[in-house]
Amino acid sequence: MWLVENAVAIAREPLKHVQVREYVRDLVSDAEPGTPAPSERELVQVFGVARMTVRQAMDTLVAEGLLERIPGRGTFVAKPRNEVGRLLSYTGEMQRRGLHAESQTILARREQAGPGVARALELTEGDAVIHWKRLRRADGQPMCVEDAYLNEVLLPGFLQSGMPTSLYQALAMRGLRPTWAEDSITADVPTAEEAQSLEIALGTPVLRVARRAVADDRVVEVSRSVYRSDRFTLYVQLGDS
Amino acid sequence: MWLVENAVAIAREPLKHVQVREYVRDLVSDAEPGTPAPSERELVQVFGVARMTVRQAMDTLVAEGLLERIPGRGTFVAKPRNEVGRLLSYTGEMQRRGLHAESQTILARREQAGPGVARALELTEGDAVIHWKRLRRADGQPMCVEDAYLNEVLLPGFLQSGMPTSLYQALAMRGLRPTWAEDSITADVPTAEEAQSLEIALGTPVLRVARRAVADDRVVEVSRSVYRSDRFTLYVQLGDS
DNA sequence: TAGTGGTCTAGACCACTAT
DNA sequence: TAGTGGTCTAGACCACTAG
């Protein structure tokens, strides 16, 4: 099964341009717009790779809008496009709102995909999936309960490797940063269990968001989240064409 | 002035990757999705350039969504993009769901913009706006109450000209088809009046959608809609960058 | 087995910016 | 003048697809 071999290889020694890309992404993630990124030749030295490899890494970050190249001057942190409707992790969403995000794992284990999850993840029923359920907090208060299923084949050793704080960051390290997602959104009332976790009264309206996240044309995550409507408003942008 | 020299140079002998790119774009522009594009090595032969140069050209076309690469097989004309997350009118939304849309005007009059509406429409308080409130039905049953404010300056004679069925169609007739919108979405319970219009019980969760719709860089519509959550799920697509 | 795209190397010259 | 990004070369090996 080549997929397994390949996944292991990726886990052990990621593609060089991915290594460089994620290294720079980390460096840059907390930086102010306008901060210079390492120059391409500097990264060539640090990683001992060819310049074209560095450029491949930087090309991606530039395409993402994270960096901006100015010929003759260098590469700099771009000012974030204030695009609502961008695909962000929970942590990213909360940061955009100026809130501190925390998570508390309720459940994390390997399971066999049921029919619904298998279809959503484009797997076969009974295939291994990772079931990860978390209570998400913002500034210390309950915000959301997220119930996620991940394609286990794409994330070997995920449960053993120590659970990361940010799922999207963990995916990015494996070259599986979600590039787009489909959400379906509805209003509902919480179950008794959800109401208890979210510390709200039964009958309080909540926002349910079902997500399919895709990276590299593969469905990596499907999740159902339930948000406290008194603390959370969802912002989306609709394009034309 | 280098710019002129450079432009002339470009006019005479464009950058190689641009030559290749435009050559392929022409080849492909009228082709059916799935049609194979020339292979990279083939283009290397034809243009007498290095493969990295060809890849630079193809990278652009792939990023544009014009081409699709399939490892081991080749490069092909991509099928045009998705539908979800597109900006649609209420009528369009319902059509996509296979439902018949109807509207019933509750209120339609000229008003002076209050502070909130003025800010949202990028007007000055007291400017003339059109206030249009409608009950929206789908297959005969209440679906949504929409409360919209329109910039009156952009729609002269709108109220006198006989109310159209589709707002977006009316806007399109004036060259103001919304190309872009920002929605904020939350869960709530209906007011007594909303519950009566929607024919639902008090306390039933509803989806509230606030929209700012932009056409030609001008805000043409701001609205608040309240949807029956038992009949309506909102679908959105989130892109990356 | 021949062909494809994916990755990578170790250089090179250019036009530009900043000092 | 030193440094940067933009472009380009002429190869290479890999994993995969298809006949």
Side-chain angles (χ1 to χ4, degrees):
Chain A
M1 193 57 184
W2 83 264
L3 257 175
V4 173
E5 289 174 34
N6 198 26
V8 169
I10 287 174
R12 284 185 189 153
E13 26 185 286
L15 299 175
K16 295 186 179 180
H17 78 264
V18 174
Q19 287 185 56
V20 176
R21 186 219 301 156
E22 298 308 322
Y23 169 80
V24 175
R25 194 201 299 281
D26 272 5
L27 269 187
V28 145
S29 58
D30 302 323
E32 294 297 312
T35 306
S39 80
E40 295 176 356
R41 286 166 179 85
E42 195 177 332
L43 290 166
V44 166
Q45 293 297 315
V46 171
F47 283 89
V49 298
R51 191 166 154 231
M52 287 305 296
T53 305
V54 169
R55 283 185 64 79
Q56 188 178 2
M58 304 295 265
D59 281 347
T60 308
L61 297 173
V62 169
E64 286 177 14
L66 197 64
L67 297 180
E68 184 184 9
R69 289 202 258 234
I70 305 181
R73 299 227 300 132
T75 306
F76 304 87
V77 178
K79 43 176 200 248
R81 300 186 249 161
N82 209 1
E83 279 184 37
V84 285
R86 242 179 74 192
L87 178 54
L88 292 176
S89 64
Y90 173 80
T91 307
E93 278 287 352
M94 292 306 119
Q95 277 175 355
R96 191 169 68 185
R97 289 165 162 78
L99 301 176
H100 176 63
E102 291 168 299
S103 286
Q104 178 181 331
T105 293
I106 297 171
L107 183 157
R109 68 181 176 210
R110 200 165 168 281
E111 294 182 2
Q112 292 188 315
V117 168
R119 190 172 52 248
L121 279 175
E122 295 175 354
L123 297 175
T124 304
E125 199 174 334
D127 282 355
V129 295
I130 296 164
H131 185 182
W132 195 9
K133 188 172 183 176
R134 286 181 286 179
L135 173 63
R136 307 281 218 166
R137 294 175 184 274
D139 281 1
Q141 297 301 309
M143 173 64 94
C144 154
V145 176
E146 180 191 292
D147 200 15
Y149 291 85
L150 312 169
N151 185 341
E152 210 256 357
V153 174
L154 300 176
L155 296 161
F158 186 73
L159 287 169
Q160 286 71 45
S161 64
M163 303 302 283
T165 306
S166 168
L167 167 59
Y168 281 28
Q169 196 176 330
L171 290 169
M173 292 305 291
R174 293 168 164 80
L176 293 170
R177 206 172 84 85
T179 51
W180 80 254
E182 239 177 26
D183 288 2
S184 59
I185 301 144
T186 189
D188 199 5
V189 286
T191 66
E193 186 190 342
E194 288 166 348
Q196 189 177 11
S197 293
L198 292 172
E199 298 175 18
I200 55 177
L202 284 170
T204 311
V206 292
L207 207 56
R208 292 193 186 276
V209 178
R211 170 169 293 186
R212 283 177 83 224
V214 173
D216 195 25
D217 276 330
R218 288 173 294 189
V219 182
V220 292
E221 175 212 8
V222 298
S223 63
R224 293 176 195 279
S225 301
V226 52
Y227 288 86
R228 280 178 60 158
S229 65
D230 60 336
R231 304 197 66 207
F232 185 75
T233 297
L234 186 64
Y235 300 99
V236 302
Q237 222 179 48
L238 301 172
D240 184 25
S241 68
Chain B
M1 194 55 185
W2 82 266
L3 257 177
V4 174
E5 289 174 35
N6 200 25
V8 170
I10 285 174
R12 283 182 189 157
E13 26 186 286
L15 298 176
K16 296 187 180 178
H17 78 263
V18 175
Q19 287 187 54
V20 177
R21 187 220 300 156
E22 298 309 321
Y23 170 79
V24 175
R25 193 201 300 282
D26 273 5
L27 271 188
V28 144
S29 58
D30 301 323
E32 294 296 312
T35 305
S39 79
E40 295 176 355
R41 285 167 180 84
E42 194 177 333
L43 291 165
V44 165
Q45 293 298 316
V46 172
F47 284 89
V49 298
R51 193 169 151 226
M52 289 303 297
T53 305
V54 170
R55 284 186 64 79
Q56 188 179 2
M58 303 296 263
D59 281 346
T60 307
L61 297 174
V62 169
E64 286 177 14
L66 197 63
L67 297 181
E68 182 185 10
R69 289 202 258 235
I70 304 180
R73 298 228 298 134
T75 305
F76 303 88
V77 178
K79 50 174 185 258
R81 350 171 303 94
N82 296 310
E83 295 253 337
V84 184
R86 247 179 73 191
L87 177 55
L88 292 176
S89 65
Y90 173 81
T91 306
E93 279 286 353
M94 291 307 118
Q95 277 175 354
R96 192 168 66 185
R97 289 166 162 77
L99 301 176
H100 177 64
E102 292 168 297
S103 288
Q104 177 180 334
T105 294
I106 298 171
L107 183 157
R109 66 181 179 210
R110 199 168 169 281
E111 293 182 3
Q112 292 189 315
V117 169
R119 190 172 53 248
L121 280 175
E122 294 175 356
L123 297 175
T124 305
E125 200 174 334
D127 281 355
V129 295
I130 295 163
H131 184 180
W132 194 9
K133 188 170 180 176
R134 286 180 287 179
L135 172 63
R136 306 281 218 167
R137 295 174 184 273
D139 279 0
Q141 297 301 309
M143 172 66 94
C144 154
V145 175
E146 180 192 292
D147 201 14
Y149 291 85
L150 312 169
N151 186 341
E152 210 258 356
V153 174
L154 300 176
L155 296 162
F158 185 74
L159 287 170
Q160 285 71 44
S161 64
M163 304 302 283
T165 306
S166 168
L167 167 60
Y168 281 27
Q169 196 176 326
L171 290 169
M173 294 301 288
R174 290 166 166 80
L176 292 170
R177 204 172 79 86
T179 51
W180 193 94
E182 238 177 27
D183 287 3
S184 59
I185 300 144
T186 188
D188 199 3
V189 287
T191 65
E193 186 190 342
E194 288 166 348
Q196 190 178 10
S197 293
L198 293 172
E199 299 174 15
I200 55 176
L202 284 169
T204 310
V206 293
L207 208 56
R208 290 191 186 279
V209 178
R211 169 168 294 186
R212 282 177 84 224
V214 173
D216 195 26
D217 276 329
R218 288 173 295 190
V219 182
V220 291
E221 175 211 8
V222 298
S223 63
R224 293 176 195 279
S225 300
V226 51
Y227 287 87
R228 283 178 59 158
S229 65
D230 60 336
R231 304 196 67 204
F232 186 75
T233 297
L234 186 64
Y235 300 97
V236 300
Q237 219 178 53
L238 302 172
D240 188 18
S241 62

